[in-house]
Amino acid sequence: SSSELKQHMLKHSYVSIHTSLTRLSAGFAALAVWIFSQCIKGIEGLTHPNVNKHLIRMILVGRTSKLMRDEILAQHIKMIRSNPLQDSARRLWLSLSACLKYFPPSREFESYLECFLIMETEEGNLNISLAKSCIDHLHQSIYRYGYGVKISEPLEDDLSDIFAYKDNVDYD
């Protein structure tokens, strides 16, 4: 059914996506599939030797292509929701927070994203502080960049160690 398909599209899955989660033209949908398979899945599973490089590429796509911003953010939500692996979910939260620091969602997607983040802070999961950080970055990026503006200024931070210490954290 249509509602089952929608639920599957917005829930963690080990299966790759075959098209974009948002409505995009064929070329952008292909880019969305690439982002999911290379960046999102790479960050989640640490399957690539340099996940920071993929995070930076994804952020740069979001900064330069306002059409891709909501897609990138929706892909994070998909892989965070019902993710059975705490360390994978934590890396995705860190990635989402970094994305929100460097580019805002569209005006239309903002309320959905913020609702998701608020619900995550209220559910008492282990990533409450990261969800709150995402909310802060969401508000700061909207204030700093506005909606629907191409962001051409370079990244001011070094993101090379964003995932470095996370794998040594004891979750017990």
Side-chain angles (χ1 to χ4, degrees):
S1 82
S2 176
S3 72
E4 288 173 3
L5 177 63
K6 288 177 187 174
Q7 282 302 315
H8 173 72
M9 291 294 283
L10 293 176
K11 208 173 196 181
H12 181 273
S13 172
Y14 292 106
V15 179
S16 194
I17 60 173
H18 301 289
T19 189
S20 59
L21 300 178
T22 59
R23 291 178 195 225
L24 296 171
S25 67
F28 282 107
L31 177 58
V33 171
W34 180 87
I35 287 172
F36 187 84
S37 65
Q38 294 297 306
C39 302
I40 299 290
K41 294 297 282 178
I43 289 166
E44 180 198 25
L46 285 179
T47 54
H48 300 293
N50 190 349
V51 292
N52 298 316
K53 178 174 69 174
H54 292 292
L55 172 63
I56 291 168
R57 284 180 180 163
M58 187 170 46
I59 289 171
L60 291 175
V61 168
R63 286 169 72 88
T64 57
S65 174
K66 53 190 175 186
L67 291 173
M68 291 301 297
R69 292 176 185 166
D70 292 348
E71 176 69 24
I72 291 168
L73 301 172
Q75 288 183 14
H76 278 86
I77 292 170
K78 171 185 174 50
M79 295 308 284
I80 287 170
R81 289 185 73 219
S82 304
N83 191 321
L85 302 173
Q86 182 59 33
D87 56 335
S88 295
R90 183 169 177 77
R91 282 191 296 275
L92 289 163
W93 276 110
L94 289 164
S95 176
L96 176 60
S97 184
C99 287
L100 287 169
K101 182 175 181 178
Y102 295 107
F103 62 84
S106 68
R107 183 183 306 273
E108 297 77 20
F109 190 63
E110 176 194 0
S111 58
Y112 297 103
L113 176 59
E114 189 165 23
C115 182
F116 165 76
L117 296 171
I118 290 169
M119 286 177 11
E120 288 294 312
T121 65
E122 294 173 352
E123 289 183 7
N125 66 35
L126 295 175
N127 296 305
I128 291 173
S129 64
L130 287 169
K132 288 180 178 177
S133 171
C134 286
I135 293 170
D136 289 344
H137 286 154
L138 167 69
H139 294 154
Q140 289 165 6
S141 70
I142 290 168
Y143 178 76
R144 181 174 184 181
Y145 304 114
Y147 298 104
V149 176
K150 180 179 177 181
I151 304 165
S152 56
E153 61 194 60
L155 295 178
E156 62 271 11
D157 297 329
D158 175 17
L159 299 175
S160 63
D161 65 347
I162 192 166
F163 303 111
Y165 73 97
K166 292 0 175 232
D167 295 323
N168 300 324
V169 174
D170 183 12
Y171 294 110
D172 295 330

